[in-house]
Amino acid sequence: MELLRKWLGHPEDIYNLLRFKMGGYRAVMPRMDTDSLGCGLRTCYRYLNQTSRSFAAVIQALDGELRHAVCIFYLVLRALDTVEDDMSIPLDVKVPMLHEFHSHLYQPDWRYTESKEKDRQVLEDFPTISMEFRNLSKVYQDVISDICHKMGVGMAEFLEKKVDSQCEWDKYCHYVAGLVGIGLSRLFSASELEDSIVGQDTDLANSMGLFLQKTNIIRDYLEDQMEGREFWPREVWSRYAKKLSDLAKPENIDVAVQCLNELITNALHHVPDVLTYLSRLKNQSVFNFCAIPQVMAIATLAACYNNQQVFRGVVKIRKGQAVTLMMDATNIQAVKAIMYQYVEEIYQKIPSTDPSSNKTQQVIASIRAISLPGSPMASRHHYSPIYLSCAMLLAALSWQYLSTLSKATEEYVQGGEN
């Protein structure tokens, strides 16, 4: 009954969950025909679905040959990331592997069979992935190889050092996520589905990746602490505690939340770049692919802001909320409305005593200036009374059914990968 009470408190979530389940998801994630694919590509898409909770569906919704290029790009970087994550590989072996990984794309027989990681199949069957890589047009190959090389070098750099300054935080996020944004943008332009400026403006593409990565790092504080990882920049957290782990102690909760708010304020500075980037996109499948993770991120930051729960457990947006975001974020005006809604939510929660309050207010003012709601945006959450009444009635009759939505949908809307 607790689940039912939550739904009744958010009738728009109920309506959109029903709409999504009854076929609305096909608007943002149309089914891909795999029957016409060769054996190698079918295998690659199987690996994609096995290794990605968040991106598999939207990758497969991309148009034309871009879909295959992004699928292979993802699997190559997943293989690289699996090497980085594998703590069983000694550093004297791992560092050269990361530096040289891009060269294996052109070595038909290269594979790595000693990984202990859960996604090790992308290394064990790397020959299938590299074969499909070499089947791509050269323009795609060049982008994927270049980004893989740069990311491998960056990952190796941060294997033996922690993130100290805010500049290093940006640098680390650039290596693991900003480069992904740059690579994807170059692929979009190479496909000719988007203008050349999308791939050429690396600053905006980098901001797209940094906004997502910083959101994940901020949200995952406790999980990372439990697994011995530290990604919050020392320059920030050292002003609030002697050790990063001290922020999880109950007696430090007030300063912990102040540190959290400062990092969220830092992340919000990327939002204007995100909106500028999205405003340039022309292809609907590319827009959906780019916009959905960004609106999930702003909703996550709003949920985390000034929230002690970040240091006690997991903070997630509601499943119905995520579905609503997926179905709404299909044009730039709607995305601006979503960004406006959530920065206003943050604004309402800014404590007057918070050390970062002035900076938070300033960055929110800059976001407001480019996302002021007009009529298309203002109507985003205004459903007619009959829709809401029907939704609430259906919720009362079928709440148990809705709680068992398909596993794929649940994993997508709740998934969040670094």
Side-chain angles (χ1 to χ4, degrees), residues 82 92 125 202 207 283 299 303 312 347 375 387 405 412-413 417:
T82 301
D92 61 343
D125 192 19
T202 56
S207 278
N283 179 270
R312 297 170 177 164
Y347 184 83
S375 54
Y387 276 142
L405 284 171
Y412 180 81
V413 301
E417 298 171 341

Side-chain angles (χ1 to χ4, degrees), residues 45 56 284 338 356:
Y45 279 106
Q284 187 65 58
I338 292 167
S356 303

Side-chain angles (χ1 to χ4, degrees), residues 53-260:
R53 293 176 303 166
S54 299
F55 299 119
V58 284
I59 287 174
Q60 291 171 91
L62 288 168
D63 289 340
E65 63 183 13
L66 177 62
R67 177 190 307 139
H68 302 328
V70 174
C71 173
I72 300 305
F73 185 42
Y74 176 88
L75 292 177
V76 169
L77 298 188
R78 172 57 64 190
L80 179 67
D81 189 58
T82 301
V83 171
E84 182 203 25
D85 287 344
D86 195 332
M87 301 305 292
S88 70
I89 305 175
L91 281 181
D92 61 343
V93 175
K94 184 183 291 189
V95 170
M97 280 186 71
L98 292 173
H99 278 276
E100 299 165 8
F101 197 86
H102 68 289
S103 66
H104 302 320
L105 291 167
Y106 299 97
Q107 298 168 3
D109 298 324
W110 186 89
R111 69 180 74 227
Y112 185 74
T113 58
E114 299 175 31
S115 177
K116 310 299 184 202
E117 291 293 297
K118 62 180 177 64
D119 293 332
R120 58 186 176 273
Q121 72 265 34
V122 295
L123 290 171
E124 294 171 348
D125 192 19
F126 198 74
T128 297
I129 297 170
S130 67
M131 176 185 69
E132 293 304 329
F133 163 83
R134 293 187 299 276
N135 286 339
L136 296 172
S137 299
K138 186 176 183 301
V139 66
Y140 297 132
Q141 291 184 36
D142 290 346
V143 172
I144 295 171
S145 176
D146 180 52
I147 297 298
C148 181
H149 185 198
K150 291 174 179 175
M151 186 177 290
V153 170
M155 286 177 168
E157 178 182 336
F158 278 91
L159 279 178
E160 297 183 274
K161 71 176 185 180
K162 293 183 178 180
V163 178
D164 286 327
S165 67
Q166 292 186 67
C167 287
E168 284 185 338
W169 197 36
D170 281 357
K171 189 176 184 182
Y172 171 76
C173 292
H174 164 74
Y175 282 140
V176 300
L179 283 172
V180 179
I182 291 170
L184 286 169
S185 300
R186 290 169 60 187
L187 293 176
F188 299 156
S189 294
S191 72
E192 298 185 355
L193 293 176
E194 299 296 345
D195 292 336
S196 58
I197 186 63
V198 172
Q200 292 168 355
D201 196 334
T202 56
D203 287 341
L204 292 188
N206 188 59
S207 278
M208 293 281 286
L210 264 60
F211 186 58
L212 299 182
Q213 186 65 19
K214 288 181 178 181
T215 298
N216 288 339
I217 288 173
I218 291 166
R219 178 199 61 199
D220 294 341
Y221 165 84
L222 195 60
E223 178 184 329
D224 287 338
Q225 280 293 301
M226 293 173 66
E227 297 187 11
R229 300 188 298 255
E230 293 191 355
F231 298 115
W232 284 24
R234 176 185 294 270
E235 180 184 344
V236 176
W237 65 254
S238 63
R239 292 198 290 270
Y240 301 92
K242 291 183 178 179
K243 296 186 297 183
L244 182 56
S245 58
D246 288 345
L247 295 178
K249 296 178 179 179
E251 63 269 25
N252 294 328
I253 192 62
D254 290 339
V255 293
V257 169
Q258 290 175 356
C259 181
L260 168 71

Side-chain angles (χ1 to χ4, degrees), residues 303-324:
C304 289
Y305 185 81
N306 209 50
N307 189 349
Q308 297 180 0
Q309 186 62 24
V310 172
F311 303 95
R312 297 170 177 164
V314 180
V315 175
K316 289 185 177 180
I317 59 176
R318 302 182 309 276
K319 187 190 304 183
Q321 181 183 6
V323 166
T324 296

Side-chain angles (χ1 to χ4, degrees), residues 207 211 264-273 359 363 366-367:
S207 278
F211 186 58
I264 290 176
T265 299
N266 177 294
L268 289 174
H269 281 91
H270 297 292
V271 172
D273 280 355
K359 291 182 179 178
V363 70
S366 68
I367 298 170

